[in-house]
Amino acid sequence: MASERASQSSGASTPTHEPAMPPIAAHHGAHIAHQAKRQALHWFTLRRSTSSLEQMGVGEKKRGLVLVSQKHTPVFPVWRIVLVTVGGSINSSFLIAGGITIMFGGPGGALISYILSIIVLYTVMTSLMEVGSRMPASVPYYMYGTRVLGQTVGVALAWSYWLVWIALLVYEMVAGGFIIQFWLPSVDRAVWCLLLFLSCVTIVIVDSRLYSPIESTLTLFTIAALVAGIIVGSLTAAGKLGDRKRGFETWQTDDGPVLNGIVGVIGASIFANFSVQGAEAGAIMALKSPSRYSRRMTPIVICSVLAVLLLPSIFVTGLILSYSDPWFDKDTFDSADGSSLTYVFEAAKIMPAAHVINTILLISAILDCCVSLYIATTIIQDLADHKLAPSILQSPKDRDHALSPYSLGLCCMVGLGVWALTYIRETGGFVLLGGVIGISGVIMWSSVSIMHFVVRWSKRFRHKGDENEYRSWLFPVGPLVCLVFELGVLTGLFYILAWVGFDINIFLFETLGLFIFIALIIIAAVAQHFGYCQC
């Protein structure tokens, strides 16, 4: 949908052999950059999972998250962290956008972009673990910036994080409406969006703990679908399925396996980077482990599993799907029709695959909408607990109720207001949502790397012999690589604008997130000056 609108507004037409970046970027900046929600929910639901321990007198309540004492800290097993993290990276973000990287960089460029993104993900995870190990247990990870980068920048980062979850809530509402329209095209999308929103509010109010088993089950189904796609794609490329043998013909075109050279790799990296963003939240979960070996191995295991699943999948897809295929000329990539996995199954003459993929996408959208609302509510409560938001929004004193009705109501009103704007001005609103979410992901990863430098070099954060402290073996190369990579992603985004000529929608898509972050810094500075911002 957003790709269609963006393409109309830009007025750019691109031959099939040269990828039309802006329209798809406008849509998938939102669709791909939202994957922290699954991992983060399991961290936030410590509020409820520890309530029984607190009532037994073995825990203590801290400002922000409800945490138990170090001795009784609930520990996530490595397999659980890996399952949650992998599930956040291979759902709709990869199922729909995995093939888009081929259009940008060809089969070789797409493969290189995912290799680079997984490497950078590992550096971010190790950086975040070292920063987190030196922070007080009462400080949520999205407020680390207030301790490391200064209160003004840290507050701006925290409020930016909240706005991202509101934008994700709205996006999932709209995405769910489009997915349902795959089956029922005659019904207005607004009906499905509002029904989806009401359902999610009900689930969050009743019991958010239902999310965990459902998400684990969905992740297993998604992994099974991905593995099946790898097997079917391999057999199709070998000529055992489908109408012909493909072999390596997509790698032997005149342009070679890497389309447009380094520029194509950067373009593909935009989407590959967004696909794995959010997986770094697994590092925070790993810090709770009392075992040094588990803390060291968790990032390695997460990145290894992602590599084992994503790299063969994108490689096999690149054997079947050429960057010049007419499949990329479609108007929308919002449902199963836009999934490269569907294309692989259809090439093997397995036709019902689109309905299976669309069902997975719909369940994913419902769960994502629930978790976006839950986390947005929790964040605003934490901000109020730390005196960075009105006190009426603080966490409820009753430990049996993790969510404040005032915080939940505020998030619902803001979310519905943003949704109304996207419904009235569908073209501009939805594109801008994509820009805000996409750029915010780049800002978050970059800020983690900068905080790593500050924490390691500043005397204020020197090691004190705590057995739970973590020290990244990649420093300073790791955070430096991340900063260079994110700079390359930003450069690729702005190259889109230079490629097709100036267009206001594309310009705002690429810059609005930066403008909002700068505005938040200014607001935080003014509030701090007048004494309204005391963390």
Side-chain angles (χ1 to χ4, degrees):
M1 183 277 301
S3 56
E4 176 185 359
R5 300 285 194 265
S7 61
Q8 292 175 355
S9 61
S10 63
S13 60
T14 307
T16 57
H17 64 281
E18 293 183 4
M21 289 188 180
I24 298 178
H27 166 70
H28 286 286
H31 205 342
I32 302 172
H34 73 297
Q35 295 313 312
K37 60 176 66 64
R38 285 178 166 74
Q39 301 87 338
L41 179 67
H42 292 265
W43 173 256
F44 282 102
T45 50
L46 283 173
R47 290 177 175 274
R48 296 191 176 189
S49 64
T50 60
S51 59
S52 59
L53 291 175
E54 292 170 7
Q55 293 170 0
M56 295 168 59
V58 300
E60 58 181 344
K61 179 170 179 169
K62 300 287 187 179
R63 283 293 184 182
L65 296 177
V66 174
L67 299 171
V68 293
S69 60
Q70 277 292 22
K71 183 177 180 180
H72 300 281
T73 298
V75 178
F76 293 105
V78 174
W79 70 266
R80 178 71 173 277
I81 299 175
V82 173
L83 185 64
V84 172
T85 304
V86 171
S89 297
I90 64 173
N91 56 68
S92 56
S93 67
F94 184 75
L95 293 179
I96 284 189
I100 304 302
T101 56
I102 297 174
M103 189 190 71
F104 278 72
L111 189 61
I112 293 173
S113 69
Y114 273 97
I115 293 174
L116 292 175
S117 296
I118 292 174
I119 292 174
V120 173
L121 170 64
Y122 179 75
T123 68
V124 173
M125 294 185 74
T126 57
S127 295
L128 187 58
M129 289 182 72
E130 178 162 345
V131 174
S133 70
R134 307 193 191 191
M135 293 293 112
S138 60
V139 180
Y141 71 89
Y142 50 84
M143 294 184 66
Y144 288 168
T146 60
R147 300 297 183 99
V148 181
L149 302 178
Q151 187 166 326
T152 299
V153 176
V155 169
L157 283 170
W159 275 96
S160 176
Y161 197 62
W162 178 74
L163 290 175
V164 167
W165 288 110
I166 294 295
L168 290 170
L169 168 65
V170 177
Y171 177 80
E172 297 302 338
M173 290 172 57
V174 179
F178 273 97
I179 292 170
I180 295 177
Q181 275 200 322
F182 178 80
W183 293 302
L184 301 170
S186 60
V187 181
D188 193 327
R189 288 189 300 272
V191 175
W192 302 121
C193 291
L194 292 175
L195 287 176
L196 177 63
F197 178 75
L198 292 176
S199 300
C200 292
V201 172
T202 302
I203 292 174
V204 169
I205 291 176
V206 172
D207 194 346
S208 63
R209 287 173 294 183
L210 293 174
Y211 174 88
S212 182
I214 295 175
E215 165 61 10
S216 299
T217 303
L218 175 64
T219 298
L220 292 176
F221 275 114
T222 307
I223 292 175
L226 194 62
V227 172
I230 295 172
I231 296 173
V232 170
S234 300
L235 294 175
T236 303
K240 304 300 182 181
L241 294 176
D243 54 2
R244 63 187 178 87
K245 179 179 179 179
R246 290 170 170 81
F248 287 86
E249 61 183 25
T250 59
W251 287 64
Q252 298 171 349
T253 61
D254 293 338
D255 293 315
V258 179
L259 181 64
N260 297 325
I262 185 63
V263 174
V265 173
I266 291 176
S269 296
I270 295 172
F271 300 97
N273 185 49
F274 291 158
S275 294
V276 300
Q277 277 182 350
E280 71 277 3
I284 297 298
M285 299 167 66
L287 276 178
K288 306 303 295 180
S289 173
S291 169
R292 286 180 178 269
Y293 180 77
S294 296
R295 293 198 296 271
R296 289 285 180 186
M297 289 303 299
T298 298
I300 297 176
V301 173
I302 289 174
C303 293
S304 298
V305 172
L306 286 175
V308 168
L309 291 174
L310 300 187
L311 298 185
S313 179
I314 201 67
F315 173 74
V316 170
T317 302
L319 294 178
I320 299 173
L321 180 60
S322 171
Y323 65 85
S324 59
D325 195 285
W327 181 79
F328 289 115
D329 295 335
K330 60 174 76 268
D331 292 329
T332 179
F333 288 81
D334 291 279
S335 62
D337 281 339
S339 172
S340 57
L341 189 59
T342 300
Y343 183 93
V344 170
F345 279 105
E346 291 178 347
K349 305 303 181 184
I350 304 176
M351 304 313 294
H355 296 282
V356 176
I357 300 300
N358 207 59
T359 301
I360 294 176
L361 293 176
L362 177 59
I363 298 174
S364 174
I366 294 173
L367 294 173
D368 290 348
C369 190
C370 292
V371 75
S372 298
L373 178 59
Y374 183 86
I375 294 180
T377 304
T378 308
I379 290 173
I380 199 67
Q381 288 180 179
D382 288 337
L383 292 174
D385 290 342
H386 287 81
K387 300 181 181 181
L388 301 179
S391 58
I392 194 174
L393 302 175
Q394 289 181 350
S395 303
K397 297 180 180 179
D398 182 2
R399 294 178 180 177
D400 292 332
H401 299 84
L403 299 180
S404 162
Y406 300 106
S407 299
L408 181 61
L410 175 64
C411 293
C412 289
M413 288 189 295
V414 175
L416 286 175
V418 176
W419 172 80
L421 292 177
T422 63
Y423 187 75
I424 297 172
R425 296 294 303 274
E426 204 168 43
T427 301
F430 206 70
V431 168
L432 295 184
L433 278 178
V436 171
I437 297 171
I439 294 298
S440 296
V442 174
I443 292 174
M444 293 301 174
W445 273 24
S446 301
S447 65
V448 168
S449 298
I450 295 173
M451 283 191 286
H452 191 187
F453 281 109
V454 176
V455 164
R456 178 65 71 89
W457 287 338
S458 174
K459 294 181 179 179
R460 293 188 298 125
F461 302 100
R462 291 280 176 86
H463 278 284
K464 299 178 181 180
D466 189 340
E467 63 178 5
N468 291 318
E469 296 228 82
Y470 177 93
R471 193 174 182 88
S472 172
W473 66 276
L474 287 175
F475 186 87
V477 177
L480 183 61
V481 167
C482 178
L483 288 174
V484 172
F485 182 79
E486 295 303 325
L487 180 61
V489 170
L490 283 176
T491 303
L493 284 172
F494 284 102
Y495 180 77
I496 295 173
L497 188 63
W499 189 345
V500 300
F502 182 81
D503 181 270
I504 185 60
N505 288 325
I506 302 173
F507 176 76
L508 289 177
F509 161 73
E510 296 176 354
T511 59
L512 185 61
L514 290 174
F515 291 155
I516 290 178
F517 182 65
I518 294 173
L520 288 174
I521 292 178
I522 296 174
I523 293 173
V526 173
Q528 185 178 5
H529 177 74
F530 288 100
Y532 293 107
C533 182
Q534 301 296 330
C535 185

